[in-house]
Amino acid sequence: QVRLVESGGGLVQAGASLRLSCAVSGRTFSTYTMAWFRQSPGKEREFVGAINWSGSNTLYADSVKGRFTISRDNAKNTVALQMGSLKPEDTAVYYCAARFGSDAYSDQNRYDYWGLGTQVTVSS
């Protein structure tokens, strides 16, 4: 059983930075590709970024490219999302997701395990 728990959400002003973290249970964390998705009220869940098992390959949505950075620590079974230059449109519940395999995908249907999410609110 794989369990994902997100943390680090909160209320910040536009232009601020915030760091989300996702703790993953399971001994084979290093074999998972990890990703972050987000969902705003009334909208579909959308891809934010993904990182492959080794951290050598990352993938980002155009809307966050250059502002957000995804990283992982395989020794600590964690993946982080560093968010900078936050905008009100970044307001959403942010979800951590995991899949077995070495490739990073933006398609949420490729991911097998999900956390419950953490709320990020950016005020203008």
Side-chain angles (χ1 to χ4, degrees), residues 7-36:
S7 62
L11 171 63
V12 296
Q13 290 189 329
S17 298
L18 199 62
R19 184 178 178 87
L20 304 183
S21 184
C22 175
V24 183
S25 66
R27 294 177 295 173
T28 57
F29 174 73
S30 61
T31 63
Y32 302 154
T33 285
M34 302 298 300
W36 289 93

Side-chain angles (χ1 to χ4, degrees), residues 97-113:
R99 65 178 299 274
F100 276 116
S102 58
D103 295 321
Y105 295 97
S106 60
D107 181 357
Q108 61 181 309
N109 294 313
R110 295 275 194 170
Y111 292 85
D112 305 302
Y113 305 100

Side-chain angles (χ1 to χ4, degrees), residues 22-76:
C22 175
V24 183
S25 66
R27 294 177 295 173
T28 57
F29 174 73
S30 61
T31 63
Y32 302 154
T33 285
M34 302 298 300
W36 289 93
F37 290 80
R38 67 187 183 186
Q39 187 168 21
S40 305
K43 294 187 177 180
E44 303 254 333
R45 187 160 55 187
E46 64 174 0
F47 173 74
V48 175
I51 187 167
N52 71 336
W53 68 275
S54 67
S56 62
N57 183 37
T58 54
L59 187 65
Y60 294 98
D62 288 342
S63 59
V64 305
K65 204 172 290 184
R67 299 188 299 122
F68 291 11
T69 302
I70 189 169
S71 61
R72 66 188 295 158
D73 186 336
N74 287 347
K76 296 182 178 180

